[in-house]
Amino acid sequence: MPESGRTTTESPAGGIGDTAGPPVASARRAGLLVTLVLGGLTALPPLSMDMYLPALPEVTEALRSPAATVQLTLTACLAGMALGQLVVGPMSDKWGRRRPLLVGMIVYVLATAVCAFAPTAGLLVGFRLLQGLAGAAGIVIARAVVRDLYDGVEMARFFSTLMLISGAAPIVAPLIGGQILRITDWRGVFYVLTGVGLLLTLVVWRFLGETLPAERRHSGGVGEALRTMRGLLADRVFTGYMLAGSLAFAALFAYISASPFVVQEIYGASPQTFSLLFGLNSVGLVVVGQINGKLLVGRVSLDKALGWGLGIILLASVALLLLTTGVFGVPGLAPIAAGLFVLMSAMGLAMPNTNAQALMRTPHAAGSASALLGTSSFLIGAVASPLVGIAGETTAVPMAVVQVVCAIAAVGCFLLLCRPWRAAPSHEA
């Protein structure tokens, strides 16, 4: 529900804005428009990462660079997305959502265009870093806009709806990248991303109005932004939700990093079978996210739904650990795939509800809070991902161990820091 004294109106540009005054149009009336715009912003980073994956061998050959150097183009983009959120989030609390978002999108378009013409791997790494820094604006500001427009269960429902779009992006992105490579070279991937970024920039400029009124903005500089973030981290409950969500996300990162190797090399699946299983798991996440938003939110508390999600993730990761260590004998692909499907599907309960619960506590600094949520997820995920291959290429046990540790830590943060049994009833209404 919108916060008291705040209504969503049509902006002068014809989009959705947030002003004080008589209600001209509700956020629900413009729900489809807002969903499409914010969904596009949320989907752009995974598109930027995953459309490029099929082109890595070609880039290595075309730029005559070692594979390790070309891999840095992925690391640079991911690092940019993590660090950029820390910059853009506080900026959006000071100057509003619209201007930092438009600047970020313009820089993203320019950086992506330069990537398409990069003559060396070093230049490509540098501009992939800039692309990630600029693309972070879409991630962090999309969450902040949701906080501006919605509250309570409505916000949780909207996050679940966004998962329908952002969850589909990793499924279709490699397929799109593969089709692009059939008709052009690796530079064509960046041409397409440039066009997508330009189109999304025009849509944002035309249809997404300002959602943070001037009276609710922060006037300070870097010092105040740091104090705001320090204050957010000092909030035990906010930090609990942030860490619980980030650790659950790290379990998901472990799956994404290890699954191509585990499913294909250890359990003998073909690339086509792997693609099918990866797609099914992503569909499971999206479907459960929709069940959360359409059926559970408003009928059960957000903390209860979140607790179910974290509990299922923990059970699935323990089952995977037992399977991969041979407790039940030598497993085939089917039980491993089933465990991964359950684990990934449960993310549809954990991820939207951790975001909603954390942001409900921070209406005064939604941009900074969104930045901390995003950066924490990316950094913890980036630390967890390399650990899945620590024991070599003959066992899936490290993947399961990382997932179990992350799941236990997520449940621990939720119970010890959030203390859901003491949650205020008003946060669930």
Side-chain angles (χ1 to χ4, degrees):
M1 74 185 77
E3 289 184 353
S4 176
R6 187 181 70 199
T7 59
T8 305
T9 63
E10 295 180 359
S11 72
I16 301 304
D18 189 7
T19 62
V24 178
S26 69
R28 279 182 287 274
R29 173 182 166 188
L32 178 60
L33 174 61
V34 175
T35 301
L36 292 176
V37 175
L38 299 185
L41 293 172
T42 305
L44 188 59
L47 286 176
S48 301
M49 293 291 294
D50 296 344
M51 278 179 61
Y52 176 65
L53 292 178
L56 284 177
E58 184 179 331
V59 175
T60 301
E61 182 178 350
L63 298 182
R64 295 184 176 88
S65 297
T69 302
V70 175
Q71 286 285 349
L72 286 177
T73 62
L74 294 177
T75 304
C77 188
L78 185 62
M81 289 179 187
L83 298 176
Q85 294 184 65
L86 288 177
V87 177
V88 178
M91 286 174 57
S92 74
D93 283 337
K94 180 178 181 180
W95 292 312
R97 315 300 184 204
R98 184 175 164 85
R99 280 189 293 172
L101 178 57
L102 285 172
V103 170
M105 292 303 301
I106 291 170
V107 174
Y108 172 90
V109 170
L110 295 175
T112 306
V114 173
C115 287
F117 295 97
T120 65
L123 190 62
L124 183 59
V125 169
F127 278 91
R128 282 285 278 177
L129 175 64
L130 182 59
Q131 183 192 42
L133 289 168
I139 306 174
V140 67
I141 293 180
R143 278 195 302 263
V145 168
V146 173
R147 181 63 189 92
D148 293 339
L149 297 179
Y150 297 96
D151 198 4
V153 296
E154 293 296 330
M155 180 164 55
R157 287 195 181 105
F158 199 93
F159 276 126
S160 293
T161 302
L162 281 184
M163 289 189 67
L164 182 63
I165 299 174
S166 60
I171 303 174
V172 302
L175 300 177
I176 295 173
Q179 294 304 309
I180 293 172
L181 292 176
R182 294 182 64 180
I183 59 176
T184 184
D185 61 7
W186 65 272
R187 299 182 188 274
V189 174
F190 289 106
Y191 296 148
V192 172
L193 286 173
T194 300
V196 171
L198 181 60
L199 177 62
L200 192 53
T201 303
L202 294 175
V203 170
V204 168
W205 175 77
R206 176 65 179 83
F207 294 110
L208 188 64
E210 180 56 64
T211 61
L212 185 67
E215 62 271 15
R216 293 176 52 220
R217 299 176 190 175
H218 294 182
S219 58
V222 175
E224 182 174 340
L226 293 176
R227 285 192 295 273
T228 298
M229 289 187 175
R230 186 168 64 247
L232 292 172
L233 293 174
D235 180 346
R236 169 180 52 79
V237 179
F238 171 83
T239 301
Y241 286 124
M242 180 189 74
L243 291 176
S246 298
L247 288 162
F249 191 66
L252 175 62
F253 253 60
Y255 156 76
I256 293 173
S257 299
S259 60
F261 167 72
V262 169
V263 173
Q264 295 181 82
E265 299 298 328
I266 297 179
Y267 293 100
S270 67
Q272 291 75 25
T273 300
F274 166 73
S275 298
L276 176 62
L277 292 176
F278 191 89
L280 286 175
N281 290 344
S282 298
V283 169
L285 185 151
V286 170
V287 169
V288 173
Q290 294 310 293
I291 292 173
N292 176 72
K294 305 298 183 184
L295 298 180
L296 297 181
V297 172
R299 292 178 173 85
V300 301
S301 72
L302 300 185
D303 276 332
K304 184 176 292 186
L306 172 56
W308 288 348
L310 294 177
I312 294 170
I313 291 169
L314 177 57
L315 291 175
S317 61
V318 170
L320 285 168
L321 181 59
L322 294 175
L323 287 169
T324 56
T325 52
V327 172
F328 303 115
V330 180
L333 176 60
I336 297 295
L340 291 173
F341 176 81
V342 172
L343 184 145
M344 190 162 179
S345 296
M347 297 292 172
L349 290 175
M351 293 165 63
N353 291 320
T354 50
N355 282 334
Q357 289 287 67
L359 288 173
M360 268 194 286
R361 300 184 62 84
T362 60
H364 60 289
S368 296
S370 178
L372 288 173
L373 290 172
T375 301
S376 173
S377 294
F378 275 102
L379 291 181
I380 294 179
V383 170
S385 294
L387 299 178
V388 300
I390 199 169
E393 301 180 355
T394 60
T395 175
V397 172
M399 177 193 73
V401 169
V402 170
Q403 290 171 334
V404 168
V405 171
C406 289
I408 291 174
V411 171
C413 289
F414 177 56
L415 294 178
L416 297 177
L417 298 179
C418 302
R419 301 176 187 176
W421 56 89
R422 299 182 182 178
S426 60
H427 283 180
E428 310 297 351

